[in-house]
Amino acid sequence: MLTACVILASSNVFLSSCLFFFSLQQFLYNVFFGECWSSTGVTHADLRPLDILSEMVPAGGLAHGMRVFQVQGVRGFQLAASRPRVLGFPASRLFIHCDRFPEEFSIIVTLRVLSVPAKRNEYVFTLMAEESPSVLVGLRYAPNKLHFLFWSQERAGGWQIRVTFPNVSLSDNQWHTLVLAVSGQSFSLTVDCSVPKDVVVETPFPASLSVKRASFYLGNRRRRKGVFTGLLRQLVLLPGADATPRICTAMNFKVATLSVPAILQDLPAKPASNEVLKYPYETDTKVTLGSRPPCTRQEKTQFWFNASRRGLYLCNGSTWISLLEELMLTPARENIWCRAAAVKHRLDYVEEYQNLVTNSETMGVELFTIPKVGLFAATANRYSPPGSAIYKWTDGKFVPYQNIPTYQAQSWKYFTIGKKIFLAVANFEQNDRGQEFSVIYKWSHRKEKFITYQRITTHSARDWEAFVIEGEAFLAVVNHREGNNHNIDSVIYRWNPRTALFETNQTIPTSGAYDWEFFTIGPYSFLAVANTFNGTSTKIYSNIYIWLSGSFQLFQSILTFGAADWEVFHVGDRVFLAVANSHSYDSKTPAPSNFYAINSSIYELNITAQMFVKFQDLLTYSALDWEFFSVGDDSFLVVANSFDGFTFSVNSIIYRWQGYEGFVAAHHLPTVGCRDWEAFHTAEGSYLLYSSAKEPLSKVLKLKTT
């Protein structure tokens, strides 16, 4: 279960970041390494990747029997066969706090295999006890096969277990990255981030494999026979986690990196082949990201990109010089600089623009434009009376336009079918007559108001999602609970053109669900549900469904913590999916000091693996919503932080897309019980609107650009 948590990871209760991760690490180590860790204490560093290859590389040099070769612009080690024992080191150098091999782990290998003769095996690495020929743990390659070896003590005297992955062809003179994930009886091999090969065996990997007086050996099993003849670039042991999501985020999967010895990281200034003739202006330019690095003689001629100021700096051996200043020192380059620095709008700061007084606390906002009529905002207000309100953008402000009776409304959804315009409300409570239903309203062009069109029975509805597939219109409702039962069906309705009504098309089991998110990727349609609570825990799987053969079928499950919202967005050609995790609670475990400080996660679609893999974690405080927006060429995410465990007056944060750095905090916005964010644009500029679930006041913020 823990491995699945890391692979897939992934209403108001959360945990302080420090204590959460400390307790998680302690739990992981107690499980993976046994009670021997409980008395030593655990730090974050203990869960770092264990770089086996780097242990063989002394500072400033190479071990005997190792040579560096570069092929296809990538460096790797060639291992000598003459003295295999030299290529070893005691396991105690990696297992500092405990002398047991982890029960659940990943092994990450980047290698280039030469052609291996038939019936020959080559060892990538082994872990062997002193004075014993048995392999405790090992990995070896045969033609079109990969074998994982481990020593089991389930039988008297012990027994060598071999797990074989067939049809693994690596002898193509190319670099490949392998991720082997081990958990109990389950073994999974991923090659170059392709579809994993899964094997289940009768004998599980031992829960307590001692590594006392044992040593790691690179490319051999302590003898010359079976020595690895290829190149080895990366060999990492990651305790307690499937490393696939961490590896499968790079552009070049075949040389994806988790940890590589420093001597293999820097590429030479000139290409290995005569490519320098093809690209006469290519050089080995390094650009450092992040906070200001040192500038000494060693860094001379290197560049530093200051992401916060969008500035590029050059090190002259002692000081970082702005590239703008450097270029302006040379008049001949002035025209080049001016063309490169063409002015584009970029977000400078955010200012309060309008205090929007609402009927009561607002659980959600829907912005929409009716052609030839104008821009509107529908607020889902808590109390009835007076119900919820619709505001119209008039003379640069939102002004009241129409009141609609609602019953603890949670959200609105605007959609169209042909020339018909609709607005659906998700009601959470029963009306005065004890009836529980949500309502679809239709825009009357004659009255220029919304009028009741169709009532649909719902159960503590939280959200509506409207979408079109293959020309047919659908409307999906999230049912949160029925009485005290949170594990109920949510419903997808299909528009019947003959009756001009929505009719039940499909039901999907959900658990205390909060949100639907529909999106398309190429010809495929997806629907993601944010499952929040199953009656005992918020640590549950939220699901992504794919439309196949006329219905939605499960595509992927991601572990979430009180998920309240999904937000899909694109940055260039990349597809991301962000989840807002609201709180971490489990009735079966001791209550933490704070349920609400918890990571929300961003996942990226990996086309090769055909799944979303974790891209970035961001610390949030009872996050209830994400909103993606753009200003000029810049991309942003704003999170609705609602509660930090002590107060509802919590800063919500705008994150700016910084490329390799992911999303970085750019602006902190004071909010009170923030529930929803919406971005919109008018002729006057760009704005953000946030709703408060704790006071009858929402706010419009104006984005000031330069």
Side-chain angles (χ1 to χ4, degrees):
M1 179 179 70
L2 294 171
T3 302
C5 166
V6 182
I7 295 174
L8 300 172
S10 88
S11 50
N12 294 309
V13 245
F14 290 24
L15 155 79
S16 107
S17 172
C18 183
L19 292 176
F20 173 76
F21 282 109
F22 180 87
S23 61
L24 177 60
Q25 293 161 9
Q26 181 70 61
F27 176 65
L28 289 172
Y29 265 88
N30 286 341
V31 172
F32 298 149
F33 294 102
E35 295 180 355
C36 62
W37 284 92
S38 60
S39 60
T40 62
V42 179
T43 66
H44 180 72
D46 291 325
L47 281 175
R48 71 189 189 281
L50 305 179
D51 192 337
I52 300 172
L53 201 55
S54 290
E55 286 295 327
M56 283 303 305
V57 185
L62 286 174
H64 293 294
M66 300 179 71
R67 298 175 62 189
V68 176
F69 278 79
Q70 179 175 313
V71 179
Q72 297 166 341
V74 179
R75 289 180 174 182
F77 288 126
Q78 184 184 64
L79 309 176
S82 57
R83 301 175 61 190
R85 284 181 176 267
V86 174
L87 298 174
F89 64 92
S92 58
R93 280 163 52 179
L94 286 182
F95 299 101
I96 300 173
H97 299 295
C98 190
D99 56 8
R100 300 176 190 173
F101 202 91
E103 180 181 1
E104 294 187 349
F105 58 92
S106 286
I107 295 172
I108 303 95
V109 185
T110 300
L111 43 64
R112 184 176 182 268
V113 177
L114 300 181
S115 179
V116 178
K119 298 183 179 180
R120 175 186 172 98
N121 288 277
E122 293 190 354
Y123 287 84
V124 178
F125 85 98
T126 57
L127 174 64
M128 303 179 69
E130 290 184 15
E131 311 304 329
S132 172
S134 302
V135 175
L136 298 179
V137 180
L139 192 66
R140 76 184 186 203
Y141 177 71
N144 299 319
K145 293 181 181 178
L146 192 74
H147 303 293
F148 176 67
L149 312 174
F150 65 91
W151 188 257
S152 173
Q153 295 180 331
E154 287 194 352
R155 303 183 186 181
W159 193 262
Q160 188 82 70
I161 304 297
R162 182 179 67 189
V163 181
T164 299
F165 295 90
N167 303 318
V168 179
S169 181
L170 304 177
S171 303
D172 56 358
N173 294 320
Q174 300 293 320
W175 288 98
H176 296 282
T177 294
L178 318 179
V179 179
L180 174 65
V182 177
S183 176
Q185 297 172 279
S186 299
F187 300 78
S188 179
L189 176 68
T190 302
V191 179
D192 298 332
C193 295
S194 61
V195 177
K197 298 176 181 290
D198 297 320
V199 175
V200 178
V201 299
E202 182 179 355
T203 304
F205 189 87
S208 181
L209 179 63
S210 174
V211 296
K212 284 184 179 179
R213 303 181 65 188
S215 295
F216 281 98
Y217 294 92
L218 292 183
N220 69 85
R221 57 168 300 176
R222 211 162 54 199
R223 59 186 185 184
R224 295 183 182 181
K225 184 179 179 180
V227 168
F228 182 66
T229 57
L231 297 180
L232 196 57
R233 174 174 173 80
Q234 178 175 219
L235 180 58
V236 177
L237 172 66
L238 182 63
D242 185 322
T244 307
R246 297 176 64 173
I247 288 293
C248 295
T249 58
M251 295 301 292
N252 188 353
F253 299 134
K254 294 189 175 185
V255 290
T257 298
L258 185 62
S259 181
V260 168
I263 196 171
L264 301 181
Q265 293 177 6
D266 295 335
L267 298 179
K270 294 183 180 180
S273 67
N274 64 351
E275 291 174 350
V276 69
L277 300 178
K278 302 177 185 177
Y279 308 101
Y281 301 107
E282 183 178 349
T283 60
D284 182 30
T285 302
K286 294 182 182 178
V287 179
T288 302
L289 301 175
S291 56
R292 179 185 292 267
C295 175
T296 64
R297 290 184 179 179
Q298 187 174 355
E299 288 81 27
K300 189 174 181 180
T301 73
Q302 299 302 313
F303 291 94
W304 165 53
F305 181 68
N306 186 335
S308 61
R309 294 190 176 184
R310 288 295 186 89
L312 186 63
Y313 295 81
L314 174 70
C315 176
N316 66 359
S318 60
T319 305
W320 289 106
I321 298 176
S322 169
L323 189 59
L324 173 60
E325 297 172 5
E326 183 73 10
L327 288 171
M328 291 186 70
L329 293 176
T330 310
R333 298 181 182 175
E334 183 175 353
N335 290 337
I336 298 175
W337 173 255
C338 290
R339 288 197 299 270
V343 177
K344 294 185 178 180
H345 289 294
R346 60 185 298 268
L347 181 60
D348 191 22
Y349 63 94
V350 182
E351 67 175 9
E352 286 195 17
Y353 181 79
Q354 180 187 2
N355 287 331
L356 183 62
V357 178
T358 54
N359 291 344
S360 58
E361 296 92 330
T362 303
M363 310 306 292
V365 178
E366 177 80 346
L367 293 172
F368 55 92
T369 299
I370 298 178
K372 299 181 181 180
V373 181
L375 171 68
F376 294 87
T379 59
N381 296 118
R382 183 174 184 181
Y383 293 117
S384 179
S388 298
I390 298 174
Y391 301 83
K392 185 180 181 183
W393 186 261
T394 306
D395 297 329
K397 302 281 185 179
F398 280 115
V399 297
Y401 185 82
Q402 181 182 358
N403 268 343
I404 295 180
T406 55
Y407 302 91
Q408 202 170 134
Q410 299 294 301
S411 65
W412 289 98
K413 187 62 183 181
Y414 172 86
F415 61 98
T416 62
I417 300 176
K419 295 182 179 180
K420 298 181 177 67
I421 297 172
F422 297 97
L423 190 62
V425 65
N427 284 322
F428 193 75
E429 295 291 347
Q430 299 175 351
N431 62 13
D432 298 336
R433 299 178 181 178
Q435 301 167 319
E436 187 175 352
F437 51 77
S438 296
V439 183
I440 302 170
Y441 297 88
K442 182 176 178 290
W443 176 257
S444 169
H445 292 279
R446 183 175 61 85
K447 296 181 179 180
E448 290 196 342
K449 288 190 175 182
F450 284 98
I451 58 176
T452 302
Y453 185 80
Q454 183 179 358
R455 292 182 174 89
I456 295 179
T457 299
T458 53
H459 303 285
S460 298
R462 289 282 191 185
D463 181 55
W464 285 105
E465 182 73 324
F467 48 91
V468 175
I469 300 177
E470 298 172 355
E472 292 193 280
F474 295 85
L475 192 61
V477 68
V478 162
N479 287 322
H480 181 70
R481 60 177 168 81
E482 187 173 3
N484 292 324
N485 182 18
H486 291 78
N487 301 303
I488 61 174
D489 286 340
S490 292
V491 185
I492 300 170
Y493 300 90
R494 186 196 301 258
W495 175 259
N496 186 331
R498 185 177 59 83
T499 62
L501 294 172
F502 282 99
E503 300 173 353
T504 300
N505 181 72
Q506 182 181 358
T507 59
I508 294 180
T510 53
S511 297
Y514 249 74
D515 178 61
W516 284 117
E517 179 79 350
F518 175 82
F519 57 97
T520 60
I521 300 174
Y524 299 102
S525 297
F526 297 87
L527 190 62
V529 65
N531 285 324
T532 306
F533 184 61
N534 64 5
T536 60
S537 177
T538 63
K539 184 181 178 182
I540 57 178
Y541 287 97
S542 293
N543 298 322
I544 304 170
Y545 299 90
I546 184 172
W547 180 266
L548 295 173
S549 302
S551 66
F552 283 103
Q553 301 178 26
L554 183 62
F555 173 77
Q556 183 180 350
S557 297
I558 295 179
L559 190 68
T560 53
F561 300 83
D565 179 61
W566 284 108
E567 177 82 354
V568 67
F569 58 93
H570 297 250
V571 178
D573 294 331
R574 302 166 70 176
V575 182
F576 295 91
L577 191 59
V579 64
N581 285 323
S582 66
H583 59 288
S584 177
Y585 168 78
D586 193 325
S587 62
K588 298 179 182 179
T589 60
S593 60
N594 192 331
F595 298 95
Y596 304 96
I598 187 173
N599 280 340
S600 291
S601 301
I602 302 170
Y603 298 85
E604 182 177 6
L605 178 65
N606 184 317
I607 297 293
T608 305
Q610 297 183 7
M611 64 185 294
F612 284 92
V613 297
K614 184 176 288 187
F615 172 77
Q616 186 177 5
D617 283 327
L618 293 170
L619 179 62
T620 53
Y621 298 90
S622 191
L624 298 178
D625 183 57
W626 285 107
E627 176 76 1
F628 177 81
F629 64 97
S630 299
V631 176
D633 291 336
D634 294 331
S635 299
F636 298 89
L637 268 179
V638 59
V639 66
N641 285 326
S642 65
F643 185 59
D644 65 1
F646 306 98
T647 178
F648 292 99
S649 297
V650 185
N651 283 339
S652 292
I653 300 176
I654 297 177
Y655 297 90
R656 185 198 304 268
W657 172 254
Q658 298 286 176
Y660 290 111
E661 294 180 271
F663 284 93
V664 178
H667 301 274
H668 293 71
L669 310 175
T671 54
V672 179
C674 188
R675 180 61 182 87
D676 190 19
W677 282 103
E678 294 292 331
F680 65 100
H681 305 276
T682 71
E684 293 81 19
S686 299
Y687 304 85
L688 288 173
L689 169 62
Y690 99 82
S691 66
S692 171
K694 299 306 295 183
E695 60 181 10
L697 183 69
S698 295
K699 291 190 177 184
V700 179
L701 309 178
K702 189 167 187 178
L703 307 180
K704 304 297 287 186
T705 59
T706 56

